[in-house]
Amino acid sequence: MDHFDLKNGVLHCEDVPLTDIAEAVGTPVYVYSAATIRRHVRVFREALAGLGDPLIAYAVKANPNAAVLATLAEEGLGADIVSIGEYHRARAAGIAAGNIVFSGVGKTADEMAQALTGGLCQFNLESVEEAEMLSAVAAEIRLEAPVAFRVNPDVASGTHAKISTGAAHNKFGVPIGQAGEAYARARALPNLRIQGVAVHIGSQLTDLSPLAAAFEKVGTLIAELRGSGLAISHADLGGGLGVPYDPSLPLPPSPELYGEMVTRLTRGWDVRLIFEPGRLIVGNAGVLLSRVIRVKPGASEPFVIVDAAMNDLMRPALYDAWHAIDAVRPHGRAMRANVVGPVCESGDTFATNREMDAVEAGDLVVFRTAGAYAATMASTYNSRPLTPEVMVSGDQWALVRPRQDIQALIEADRLPPWLGVR
Ligand SMILES: *Cc1c(COP(=O)(O)O)cnc(C)c1O
């Protein structure tokens, strides 16, 4: 559920008409609903109520805006990070160091040293080679690194290939069949405190069974590791629960059902559970607000050319993702159209032969479910400045990232000396 609703014929974010934001900030612009973010945290937390005191470590990469992170810090969330940049962002927004989990397949020695010095809950290691590097880094600065191995359970997650991470051919984690050996080797290394097991099989999962299959394998591994004398105190079950994008498709499993499944499968584990939701928290809490530049006739359907493009919202080009597109002031008529951006790529297409509100030049539209993996993937391709971001709370709103200035974009480059400085 979100807080983007029609009131008096105008789409609002909470109590703010989107027309007000478009007028003040211009378009395209991302708009986030703080009430929706907070609601998703509470729903997820309630779904996990029977699991003691789990650590909910928000996957920062889904939406790293400082206002989003500060809202989540207020809600008491930790952070799952995949780079030292995300570590510093999370800390700057007020997330406690002890609630940070460091994931990612390519952590460098410098990133490890910075995170160790600043403090964290655990490193999720992805190979024995990485454990060796971390051990050396930790020994050098005389600190002990809390670690888990991320295991690759070899389950098919049923999601889009580009966001599947838990199949044997994916780059992520230690193959579960080799996990015993990896733990034994890590145990022999100095300055590591082996405390956990981690798993994350993919994103936008719409079926609980691959998650359940993965968690069962993790449970078996925990028992084996304990049998070999390791004190396993943490189990990180990752993120991945899907959110509704297309209202014509069945709803993904609810957080309640997910919580029931986890409660059933982790009974007797006697660990602190860690969860890493990203999309679930912010996906439906954002829209991309855009204006129709013009409508151009097409071979079959017309092209609705909007002022947002693939550089602002990359998901359709990258993953063939489907976003609902709605008029901010619906005229009450429908049409079929292709919705495209101005970028010079045929991939700059948001929707093909889409049944939608019959919009005209100058009308405002929103791309829904654009809170996750959206603004954060924006680029300046075609020399388009980075999209601004707005957060709404009740009847208040604030610019939480101004539109990038075209002059700043130009001045970011430097001329080499042989081209002369006039
Ligand atoms: C991306 C990621 C997540 C978050 O996935 P969602 O589908 O957004 O919940 C969690 N853990 C790890 C390790 C990730 O890479």
Side-chain angles (χ1 to χ4, degrees), residues 87-126:
Y87 181 89
H88 292 305
R89 262 186 193 272
R91 294 290 291 125
I95 293 175
N99 290 339
I100 296 180
V101 175
F102 200 159
S103 301
V105 74
K107 302 173 205 77
T108 65
D110 180 51
E111 289 182 308
M112 291 171 176
Q114 286 192 49
L116 259 178
T117 309
L120 79 170
C121 169
Q122 104 187 356
F123 287 94
N124 287 349
L125 299 175
E126 302 233 359

Side-chain angles (χ1 to χ4, degrees), residues 54-261:
L55 170 60
I56 304 178
Y58 166 71
V60 172
K61 73 176 188 288
N63 186 328
N65 184 285
V68 171
L69 296 182
T71 302
L72 295 174
E74 262 189 19
E75 293 288 333
L77 261 56
D80 171 58
I81 57 142
V82 293
S83 73
I84 203 65
E86 289 190 348
Y87 181 89
H88 292 305
R89 262 186 193 272
R91 294 290 291 125
I95 293 175
N99 290 339
I100 296 180
V101 175
F102 200 159
S103 301
V105 74
K107 302 173 205 77
T108 65
D110 180 51
E111 289 182 308
M112 291 171 176
Q114 286 192 49
L116 259 178
T117 309
L120 79 170
C121 169
Q122 104 187 356
F123 287 94
N124 287 349
L125 299 175
E126 302 233 359
S127 64
V128 173
E129 291 76 6
E130 190 183 17
E132 286 166 349
M133 180 189 269
L134 179 61
S135 167
V137 168
E140 168 103 26
I141 54 180
R142 295 196 171 80
L143 289 170
E144 191 181 45
V147 301
F149 272 108
R150 173 173 178 179
V151 295
N152 184 325
D154 193 19
V155 296
S157 57
T159 190
H160 190 280
K162 286 189 181 158
I163 48 176
S164 165
T165 60
H169 63 270
N170 292 133
K171 71 177 173 181
F172 297 99
V174 174
I176 194 149
Q178 297 163 27
E181 166 76 16
Y183 277 88
R185 287 176 63 188
R187 196 175 180 177
L189 296 170
N191 296 69
L192 298 185
R193 185 176 75 248
I194 298 172
Q195 66 176 32
V197 178
V199 73
H200 171 72
I201 62 168
S203 196
Q204 187 55 18
L205 307 177
T206 53
D207 178 7
L208 291 181
S209 44
L211 285 166
F215 299 166
E216 270 181 88
K217 292 186 180 191
V218 167
T220 306
L221 178 63
I222 291 174
E224 283 169 17
L225 295 173
R226 284 185 174 150
S228 74
L230 279 169
I232 300 297
S233 55
H234 292 68
D236 182 340
L237 300 183
L241 198 56
V243 302
Y245 281 90
D246 182 344
S248 73
L249 296 178
L251 283 175
S254 65
E256 290 75 12
L257 283 177
Y258 173 86
E260 280 168 24
M261 179 272 286

